[in-house]
Amino acid sequence: MSKTAYITTPIYYPSGNPHLGSAYTSTACDVWARFKRLDGFDTLFLTGTDEHGLKIQRSAEKAGMETQAYLDGINEKFRELSPIMNLSNDDFIRTTEQRHKDIATKMWQTLEKAGYIYKDKYAGWYSVSDETYYTEEQLVDGKSPDSGHPVEWVEEESYFFKMSAFEQKLLDFYEQNPNFIQPASRRNEVISFVKNGLEDVSVSRTTFNWGIPVPGDDKHVMYVWVDALTNYLSAIGWPESDKMKYWPAIHVVGKDILRFHAIIWPAMLMAAEVPLPKQVYAHGWWTSEGKKMSKSFGNVIDPKEVTETYGTDQIRYFILREISFGSDGDFSKDRLVERINSDLANSLGNLYQRVLSMVAKNVGHVPQHQNLTEADEAYIGQFNGIIGDVRQEMEALQFHKALERIWQVVYSANQYMDAQEPWVLRKTDPERMATVLRVLMESFKYITALIKPFMPEAASKFEAQLNWQVTDYKTLEDADFFSLNVESEIQKPSGVFMRVENKEAA
Ligand code: ME8
């Protein structure tokens, strides 16, 4: 049996175009999934769209379109995020698909059969923009405490889920599984929220119909979050299918939707007797040039536009390197340009370019190495344990730390090159030059393999330049020293990372 891994993005509301937030979560999940695959795991990476609820119904009405037709159109924009960000998602689920509706219905029936669903009357406030119920006390200035958007008074017959029955069970679970909610600061927030007491949740609506009908009572549609959360199971054919081998998943979500994933979803799963997710990781929010992203400021970052201008690998690198995963951060073009120029063009691209140009010009194939010096051994020693270190950071979704660790050896490679001066050795000691270039080329395999999940296109180009074919290695562990074939031809390389300018700066 091979080892399995499963990672999910939230399913996005297709009520506008995909923005930096969706690109961010999806890229983080993609890097993780690519790393796992390279590390020998049978991996499933899921994303999709959340297509029910009043918010979607109203967006379609506003566009003057029939709801399903509206969704089918806008859905394409979300699928396009995969080529734009180079995402390797294995599946894309839409909650209006039959496979999802069937399983959401089954989930409802399971909860009902287990005695956790009952009918009553709901009266309270509802924010359509957040698709969330609020009590009078929770409102801030009569508006949603989360988004500041208006709320509507709702009074109708409704089914309820017995959340209150899970208060202690959830607290026990968080205690026994300290890594379940990450980062730790968010975990504490959730715990205090639950300790304040959980009320039963209204899980159906009667005043609109854009949703999955409640089984046996089609006057009601399911509350959109109950429907949406189930997507993580419907994509793998719960309760019985080959794909159930991937469960439990890691859910990556934005901090604003952590409660749904860390409280409601685990309670539903406990009620349905399904094992709980491995982890729920909440990331922070991006501002743009120091301000909240908003159409009125004209500072909304469009993934398509920035990847076209600066390159997909460059944007993938920047968003995962710039801020620690879990914290908020600012997307600034100056910082982006600085990182591309210093980390990618200078430290990495230029290094490969200098070494491989010398090899192409002076040797023409992978150079033969001779006796290693202390300096060579010291440099090679820096790669000891690097795969394990990066693996550990990836396990903890600490993408910025994984990149920091990789860049430690990128900087060492530059120092080693500058200290050994192979361009001087070319005249004085060509055999020694060959050894230095060979040591560097061998070390590039580690660097190339480790950056591959982050920057797949650039890594493929580097592999080709090193004449190191993917068929030569199956896992990260194959990036070991002195395994390149000396017969392999090395051609004059072309630059992979170019310097850029801030096109918007005056
Ligand atoms: O919440 N920076 O969908 P959604 C970082 N359908 N992340 C951001 C962001 C920003 N500026 N703005 C938004 C939903 N996000 C539900 C999910 S899952 C069963 C259902 C993130 O399209 C936000 O935190 O409104 C969330 O994780 C994601 O974008 C999708 O938000």
Side-chain angles (χ1 to χ4, degrees):
M1 267 289 276
S2 64
K3 304 170 286 182
T4 60
Y6 181 16
I7 195 153
T8 68
T9 74
I11 46 172
Y12 305 113
Y13 287 126
S15 48
N17 289 338
H19 49 66
L20 182 68
S22 11
Y24 182 49
T25 326
S26 292
T27 303
C29 291
D30 182 63
V31 169
W32 192 89
R34 286 178 186 268
F35 183 87
K36 280 288 179 187
R37 291 190 200 111
L38 203 52
D39 210 19
F41 284 74
D42 175 2
T43 306
L44 183 73
F45 165 24
L46 175 70
T47 186
T49 40
D50 187 355
E51 305 195 345
H52 288 128
L54 195 49
K55 177 164 154 153
I56 297 290
Q57 185 175 311
R58 287 195 183 157
S59 302
E61 278 162 12
K62 222 167 125 191
M65 289 177 79
E66 187 263 321
T67 318
Q68 191 65 51
Y70 165 79
L71 284 167
D72 292 346
I74 198 156
N75 185 265
E76 278 309 309
K77 294 220 182 301
F78 281 81
R79 284 183 188 268
E80 276 171 19
L81 198 57
S82 296
I84 290 172
M85 296 307 301
N86 197 2
L87 308 175
S88 63
N89 52 296
D90 299 285
D91 197 352
F92 185 105
I93 191 154
R94 300 179 58 181
T95 53
T96 49
E97 285 174 77
Q98 196 57 44
R99 61 170 171 157
H100 171 75
K101 291 183 193 166
D102 290 347
I103 286 172
T105 305
K106 184 157 206 120
M107 174 56 80
W108 182 286
Q109 287 164 332
T110 308
L111 298 177
E112 191 167 42
K113 211 163 149 208
Y116 291 107
I117 300 253
Y118 64 93
K119 204 186 218 175
D120 203 342
K121 201 165 181 240
Y122 179 80
W125 296 98
Y126 193 78
S127 156
V128 178
S129 110
D130 305 354
E131 295 282 19
T132 303
Y133 295 96
Y134 296 107
T135 60
E136 183 79 40
E137 300 76 55
Q138 285 175 314
L139 300 184
V140 176
D141 297 333
K143 298 204 166 129
S144 152
D146 291 321
S147 64
H149 287 139
V151 289
E152 302 172 11
W153 181 255
V154 173
E155 206 173 313
E156 58 191 304
E157 178 189 273
S158 172
Y159 286 93
F160 284 80
F161 172 62
K162 278 191 198 165
M163 255 322 271
S164 52
F166 294 94
E167 198 173 303
Q168 196 51 47
K169 286 185 188 137
L170 285 168
L171 290 171
D172 293 344
F173 183 81
Y174 304 146
E175 170 121 23
Q176 284 151 18
N177 299 275
N179 287 326
F180 176 65
I181 302 166
Q182 285 293 318
S185 53
R186 299 273 166 220
R187 172 173 184 264
N188 296 337
E189 273 174 34
V190 171
I191 293 177
S192 28
F193 185 88
V194 175
K195 278 190 175 155
N196 271 336
L198 293 178
E199 285 178 18
D200 293 350
V201 203
S202 162
V203 287
S204 75
R205 301 291 304 272
T206 53
T207 47
F208 67 94
N209 61 13
W210 191 249
I212 302 178
V214 165
D217 192 353
D218 57 17
K219 209 166 81 190
H220 292 252
V221 292
M222 293 181 200
Y223 172 39
V224 63
W225 270 100
V226 168
D227 155 357
L229 287 162
T230 312
N231 90 88
Y232 304 127
L233 283 179
S234 45
I236 53 169
W238 175 76
E240 265 175 12
S241 113
D242 298 350
K243 288 195 176 155
M244 280 303 288
K245 70 179 174 191
Y246 293 111
W247 189 258
I250 292 181
H251 301 310
V252 179
V253 300
K255 60 183 183 179
D256 56 318
I257 56 171
L258 176 62
R259 270 183 220 164
F260 295 98
H261 286 83
I263 304 175
I264 300 189
W265 180 228
M268 282 169 64
L269 292 169
M270 281 176 176
E273 296 186 15
V274 180
L276 265 51
K278 219 176 253 167
Q279 188 170 73
V280 181
Y281 198 109
H283 66 66
W285 269 43
W286 286 94
T287 50
S288 163
E289 306 296 344
K291 285 195 203 134
K292 185 177 154 57
M293 250 183 272
S294 110
K295 282 193 195 129
S296 53
F297 292 137
N299 66 348
V300 174
I301 307 282
D302 173 4
K304 190 165 164 37
E305 198 182 300
V306 284
T307 50
E308 276 169 5
T309 309
Y310 297 98
T312 297
D313 280 342
Q314 286 83 341
I315 299 296
R316 288 170 63 102
Y317 174 79
F318 177 71
I319 56 184
L320 292 175
R321 177 66 188 83
E322 184 66 1
I323 56 176
S324 66
F325 203 61
S327 311
D328 293 335
D330 184 44
F331 193 100
S332 125
K333 293 266 167 72
D334 284 341
R335 292 287 304 144
L336 168 66
V337 166
E338 193 180 316
R339 282 219 177 268
I340 293 176
N341 289 339
S342 79
D343 301 3
L344 300 180
N346 287 357
S347 304
L348 185 68
N350 197 30
L351 170 74
Y352 275 61
Q353 184 71 13
R354 283 160 77 203
V355 171
L356 295 170
S357 301
M358 278 198 79
V359 174
K361 197 163 162 207
N362 300 295
V363 191
H365 57 87
V366 173
Q368 179 73 52
H369 69 290
Q370 308 282 341
N371 307 332
L372 298 179
T373 64
E374 242 173 65
D376 300 340
E377 300 282 9
Y379 173 60
I380 291 171
Q382 306 236 358
F383 290 82
N384 272 343
I386 191 172
I387 292 174
D389 293 347
V390 172
R391 181 183 288 127
Q392 205 176 332
E393 301 300 359
M394 295 300 286
E395 280 298 316
L397 282 83
Q398 296 295 291
F399 302 102
H400 65 295
K401 286 199 185 152
L403 288 168
E404 251 169 40
R405 178 71 182 91
I406 303 168
W407 255 257
Q408 271 175 12
V409 289
V410 171
Y411 297 137
S412 296
N414 279 285
Q415 281 163 4
Y416 171 76
M417 171 102 172
D418 291 345
Q420 298 304 313
E421 302 184 311
W423 55 92
V424 175
L425 296 169
R426 187 167 67 90
K427 292 213 179 97
T428 57
D429 188 351
E431 279 190 0
R432 176 69 196 140
M433 172 200 72
T435 300
V436 170
L437 294 176
R438 176 65 184 275
V439 167
L440 282 161
M441 278 186 70
E442 294 287 341
S443 71
F444 289 175
K445 289 188 304 184
Y446 281 85
I447 299 172
T448 305
L450 291 171
I451 63 166
K452 195 170 186 177
F454 293 89
M455 296 179 282
E457 264 177 65
S460 301
K461 287 184 192 157
F462 287 145
E463 281 166 2
Q465 294 186 353
L466 291 166
N467 209 339
W468 187 44
Q469 307 303 338
V470 185
T471 45
D472 296 346
Y473 72 105
K474 300 280 179 300
T475 71
L476 288 165
E477 307 292 348
D478 295 327
D480 52 351
F481 270 88
F482 302 113
S483 57
L484 286 173
N485 185 351
V486 279
E487 317 259 288
S488 299
E489 196 186 326
I490 299 298
Q491 289 178 349
K492 189 172 181 292
S494 45
V496 172
F497 288 115
M498 300 304 165
R499 287 185 66 82
V500 293
E501 281 167 30
N502 184 347
K503 308 226 161 86
E504 272 151 41

